[in-house]
Amino acid sequence: MSRAKRKLEHIQHAISTGQDKTHGLDDITFVHQSLPNTSVNEIDLQTSIGELSISSPIFINAMTGGGGEQTRKVNRLLSEVAKECGLGMAVGSQMSAIKDPGERYTYEVVREVNPTGVLFANLGSEATVDNALSAIDMIEANGIQIHLNVIQELAMPEGERNFSGALSRIEKIVNSVQVPVIVKEVGFGLSTETAYQLRNIGVSILDIGGFGGTNFARIENNRSNRRLDFFDEWGITTAASIAEVSNLTRPIPIISSGGLQDALDIAKSIALGASAAAFAGVFLKILLQEGQEKLVEHIDQMKADLKYIMTALGTRSINELQKSPVIIKGETFHWLNQRGID
Ligand code: FNR
């Protein structure tokens, strides 16, 4: 099957399989404050993620790989939304355009549409330094995401079976590119151990890509004969993964992702230690089923809601929200307890 056809199938399955919403964030509760001493109009959503500074903590995560007209169209629509709403955005894997330069235009469109926005390039951990440089150059990227998707590959009949050498390839990229390197999971979550390895080779930012949203094990199993259905429930939830990674003694900036739906999910993610929150499946579904205008409305609403939540908590900035106390119950509590994370 061609890469473009497989990616199209991913879009269809991601929308029909939908979101698990088992991201663990329902185990998190804020502590109500009756005297917050804040006003909605003084809330500032500006955030810093390592050296990147951006006016909103909301990101559009990587979704459009594979090349072809459909990729270009979705990339154009999403980058118009990113520009209008002032969001950062990652493109999907650019490997197709590296293998076939005739496909570059399907990604270049994001920079044409949004000349000054924060844009991330995207490749898998098989990428070489040359691949990374070319992906960054293609969209004049402000950072590059390297995705880790072992479970997805294993669940794909035509997927990769050899995962050796990924860490040293990522290290070479870190040492050779001029922009921050973001390593991301795609819905199975990053652990403390993985985060530690990645931070030690100089990775700048981690997108934890937790379990509980788009589920690529289920998508791949649904596309094939469901042989590996034991992977359907595999992974670290988004809530547990943020806590796992913020548990490092030397911190690393975190982007929360994996099943995020609304402003409360963003606020809880930030209170657990994230600096930003990235959305994939939900945004794609709204875009393709309800249209671009509805997606813009949805994002504007989330920003307004986030300001209300921050007002109620008495936190004027993302930095203050990160320090807001939370109560952790249920499976997330037990997970953190057994992992010795407070
Ligand atoms: C993705 N995702 C993804 N990630 C990546 O790093 N490179 C890619 O090319 C893609 N492609 C892709 C296609 C489609 C259709 C979807 C829905 C997702 C993964 C995505 O960025 C994210 O990590 C996961 O989808 C989890 O987030 P959500 O969907 O639960 O918000």
Side-chain angles (χ1 to χ4, degrees), residues 22-29 237 239-240 326-339 341:
T22 46
H23 47 35
L25 292 167
D26 296 338
D27 288 338
I28 313 300
T29 309
T237 64
V326 290
I327 301 299
I328 303 176
K329 59 181 174 39
E331 281 186 29
T332 309
F333 171 78
H334 288 295
W335 179 287
L336 302 187
N337 209 11
Q338 286 184 38
R339 294 280 286 160
I341 299 169

Side-chain angles (χ1 to χ4, degrees), residues 7-12 14-15 19-20 60-66 90-94 107 122-124 145-149 152 184-188 207 209-210 212-216 219 238 257-261 278-284:
K7 298 286 175 176
L8 268 184
E9 280 194 17
H10 281 164
I11 292 181
Q12 283 147 9
I15 287 176
Q19 297 270 312
D20 279 357
I60 301 175
N61 222 345
M63 279 181 284
T64 45
V91 295
S93 174
Q94 291 161 272
Y107 297 90
N122 184 289
L123 287 172
Q145 290 183 331
I146 304 291
H147 64 259
L148 306 178
N149 66 340
Q152 181 188 7
K184 80 182 277 273
E185 247 294 353
V186 299
F188 302 92
D207 174 335
T214 302
N215 183 333
F216 273 102
I219 290 173
T238 297
S257 74
L260 305 185
Q261 312 272 328
F279 292 70
V282 165
F283 281 6
L284 190 64

Side-chain angles (χ1 to χ4, degrees), residues 129 169-179 181 183 198 201-204:
V129 168
R169 281 191 297 277
I170 296 171
E171 184 173 17
K172 287 196 184 101
I173 292 173
V174 167
N175 292 333
S176 311
V177 303
Q178 301 297 321
V179 295
V181 174
V183 173
L198 292 166
I201 59 162
V203 168
S204 304

Side-chain angles (χ1 to χ4, degrees), residues 4-209:
K5 175 138 191 294
R6 185 171 76 228
K7 298 286 175 176
L8 268 184
E9 280 194 17
H10 281 164
I11 292 181
Q12 283 147 9
H13 278 270
I15 287 176
S16 60
T17 306
Q19 297 270 312
D20 279 357
K21 220 180 177 292
T22 46
H23 47 35
L25 292 167
D26 296 338
D27 288 338
I28 313 300
T29 309
F30 282 111
V31 181
H32 172 62
Q33 306 296 343
S34 304
L35 283 172
N37 197 28
T38 40
S39 146
V40 172
N41 60 18
E42 65 176 353
I43 304 298
D44 184 3
L45 296 185
Q46 191 274 335
T47 190
S48 302
I49 315 159
E51 64 191 57
L52 295 170
S53 181
I54 184 157
S55 63
S56 158
I58 304 171
F59 271 76
I60 301 175
N61 222 345
M63 279 181 284
T64 45
E69 270 311 315
Q70 173 76 358
T71 293
R72 183 175 191 280
K73 183 178 162 208
V74 176
N75 269 333
R76 179 178 56 76
L77 292 169
L78 287 174
S79 56
E80 285 168 358
V81 171
K83 183 179 181 196
E84 183 163 349
C85 300
L87 311 188
M89 169 180 165
V91 295
S93 174
Q94 291 161 272
M95 201 44 110
S96 57
I98 286 171
K99 290 193 171 144
D100 174 5
E103 292 289 339
R104 282 176 67 107
Y105 78 103
T106 67
Y107 297 90
E108 285 164 349
V109 65
V110 298
R111 186 49 88 193
E112 285 155 26
V113 165
N114 193 2
T116 56
V118 171
L119 293 174
F120 292 158
N122 184 289
L123 287 172
S125 60
E126 74 282 9
T128 63
V129 168
D130 279 351
N131 294 159
L133 290 169
S134 159
I136 293 165
D137 173 66
M138 201 182 299
I139 60 166
E140 295 162 48
N142 307 86
I144 180 165
Q145 290 183 331
I146 304 291
H147 64 259
L148 306 178
N149 66 340
V150 172
I151 300 296
Q152 181 188 7
E153 292 290 342
L154 287 174
M156 232 190 302
E158 70 274 33
E160 186 58 70
R161 296 291 179 263
N162 174 4
F163 304 100
S164 39
L167 191 66
S168 73
R169 281 191 297 277
I170 296 171
E171 184 173 17
K172 287 196 184 101
I173 292 173
V174 167
N175 292 333
S176 311
V177 303
Q178 301 297 321
V179 295
V181 174
I182 302 112
V183 173
K184 80 182 277 273
E185 247 294 353
V186 299
F188 302 92
L190 292 175
S191 67
T192 307
E193 292 83 354
T194 304
Y196 183 77
Q197 287 176 293
L198 292 166
R199 199 213 48 208
N200 278 1
I201 59 162
V203 168
S204 304
I205 299 165
L206 297 179
D207 174 335
I208 55 97

Side-chain angles (χ1 to χ4, degrees), residues 218-273:
R218 191 167 297 164
I219 290 173
E220 297 302 347
N221 276 324
N222 287 348
R223 286 175 62 231
S224 57
N225 58 7
R226 299 208 55 79
R227 206 180 57 75
L228 302 183
D229 55 5
F230 47 83
F231 280 143
D232 282 2
E233 301 300 321
W234 190 282
I236 308 171
T237 64
T238 297
S241 182
I242 300 169
E244 289 260 340
V245 176
S246 46
N247 185 43
L248 295 190
T249 37
R250 241 179 337 113
I252 181 163
I254 297 170
I255 299 178
S256 165
S257 74
L260 305 185
Q261 312 272 328
D262 53 30
L264 189 58
D265 288 345
I266 302 173
K268 288 176 177 179
S269 294
I270 292 170
L272 285 172

